């Protein structure tokens, strides 16, 4: 029994001992980021690492300002960012419109699973660079093959996550819905789809991460602007400050979108972890 003599409040049901890993960790992440930044300052400003291999934070910041104002690789930083964002989010939107329905269809139909599962499972482990030459042969070197390459990389994890979400639905919930007179379509929309939403959001987070990692490969195809192109172009001239600046910008956008998807998940799937 809780000790009421000292004004202690009773623990919420199920949280007397606490689940493994439960609790707020934001302050730990903040301290970790500060420690890494401090280590970066230390090893670069004391000469422990040569600027060619790891430029100082001041040099990267100066390159960021220069790229924003004067530009780098024949375009400003905003023009590179705009080109990359349009490719990644265009491919992501297309994947959401096709991969999620495909995954749900694979989960509710054995015929669809038999048709779609082999090609998805075959190409899913392949690195995008493996089928990049084929994409160039088929579609040329315009803007479409860049978006299509990123789309293929995003499609597989999103479709598999949606299928896994459908397959994880409790059979008791489905039987209860049938017992209450629900039709097959109503059960798919109101029971299966809602129960699969957490997995679908997880697939979206994984998919957009894969899309950003594929961006550099996609912008190898005759690109003249883009964050991946900027990084590759700088690497040819050993401009490590530009390379690290580009990596930080890509990571910042990827992390920001991941936080956005997490927030949307909290709003749209409030029952996650409660049922």
């Amino acid at each position: 029994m809780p000790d009421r003599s000292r004004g202690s409040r009773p623990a919420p049901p199920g949280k007397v001992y606490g689940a493994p890993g439960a609790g707020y960790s934001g302050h730990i992440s903040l301290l970790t980021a500060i420690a890494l930044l401090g280590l970066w300052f230390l090893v670069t400003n004391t000469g422990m690492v040569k600027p060619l291999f790891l430029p100082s934070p001041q040099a990267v910041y100066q390159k960021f300002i220069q790229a924003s104002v004067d530009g780098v690789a024949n375009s400003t930083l905003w023009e590179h960012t705009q080109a990359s964002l349009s490719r990644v989010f265009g491919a992501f939107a297309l994947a959401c419109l096709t991969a999620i329905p495909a995954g749900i269809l694979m989960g509710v139909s054995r015929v669809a699973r038999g048709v779609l599962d082999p090609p998805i499972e075959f190409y899913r482990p392949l690195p995008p660079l493996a089928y990049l030459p084929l994409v160039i042969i088929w579609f040329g070197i315009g803007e479409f093959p860049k978006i299509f390459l990123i789309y293929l990389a995003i499609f597989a994890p999103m479709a598999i996550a949606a299928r896994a979400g459908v397959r994880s639905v409790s059979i008791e919930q489905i039987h209860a819905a049938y017992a209450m007179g629900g039709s097959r379509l109503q059960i798919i929309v109101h029971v299966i789809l809602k129960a699969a939403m957490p997995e679908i959001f997880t697939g979206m987070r994984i998919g957009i991460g894969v899309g950003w990692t594929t961006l550099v490969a996609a912008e190898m195809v005759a690109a003249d602007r883009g964050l991946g192109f900027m990084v590759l172009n700088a690497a040819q001239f050993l401009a490590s400050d530009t390379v690290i600046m580009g990596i930080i910008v890509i990571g910042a956008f990827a992390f920001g979108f991941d936080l956005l998807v997490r927030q949307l998940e909290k709003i749209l799937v409030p029952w996650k972890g409660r049922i």
Side-chain angles (χ1 to χ4, degrees), residues 102 105-106 109-121 163:
L105 193 60
M106 291 167 64
S109 171
R110 63 183 182 88
V111 176
R113 186 166 63 252
V115 172
L116 297 177
D117 192 62
I120 291 177
E121 289 293 348
R163 183 190 65 181

Side-chain angles (χ1 to χ4, degrees), residues 66-261:
Q66 178 186 349
S68 301
V69 178
D70 300 327
V72 61
N74 300 321
S75 298
T76 64
L77 181 60
W78 168 243
E79 291 173 337
H80 287 301
T81 302
Q82 189 177 25
S84 293
L85 288 177
S86 64
R87 290 162 186 158
V88 173
F89 289 116
F92 178 75
L94 185 60
C96 287
L97 293 175
T98 56
I100 294 175
I104 295 172
L105 193 60
M106 291 167 64
V108 300
S109 171
R110 63 183 182 88
V111 176
R113 186 166 63 252
V115 172
L116 297 177
D117 192 62
I120 291 177
E121 289 293 348
F122 173 77
Y123 93 85
R124 179 181 62 85
L126 298 176
L129 284 174
Y131 46 85
L132 174 61
L134 196 59
V135 171
I136 296 175
I137 293 173
W138 286 351
F139 303 109
I141 56 175
E143 193 66 21
F144 176 76
K146 300 177 182 62
I147 298 176
F148 184 67
L149 186 71
I150 301 173
Y151 164 77
L152 287 178
I154 298 176
F155 181 90
M158 287 185 62
I160 291 174
R163 183 190 65 181
V166 171
R167 303 299 293 177
S168 66
V169 178
S170 172
I171 191 64
E172 287 79 10
Q173 290 179 319
I174 297 176
H175 288 170
Y178 274 123
M180 296 175 65
S183 66
R184 179 177 175 84
L185 181 60
Q186 288 175 327
I187 289 171
I188 293 175
V189 174
H190 298 290
V191 178
I192 295 177
L193 182 58
K194 288 185 176 180
M197 286 298 289
E199 293 284 353
I200 291 175
F201 272 97
T202 300
M204 291 171 64
R205 291 176 57 192
I206 296 173
I208 193 65
V210 173
W212 280 108
T213 59
T214 311
L215 175 67
V216 177
E219 291 183 346
M220 292 174 62
V221 186
D224 57 357
R225 66 181 54 180
L227 294 174
F229 165 77
M230 182 183 70
V231 170
L232 291 171
N233 183 76
Q236 294 178 356
F237 299 97
L238 301 180
S240 55
D241 52 354
T242 304
V243 172
I244 292 180
M245 183 266 292
I247 291 173
I248 292 175
V249 172
I250 292 174
F253 276 106
F255 182 65
F257 186 77
D258 186 76
L259 292 179
L260 176 62
V261 174

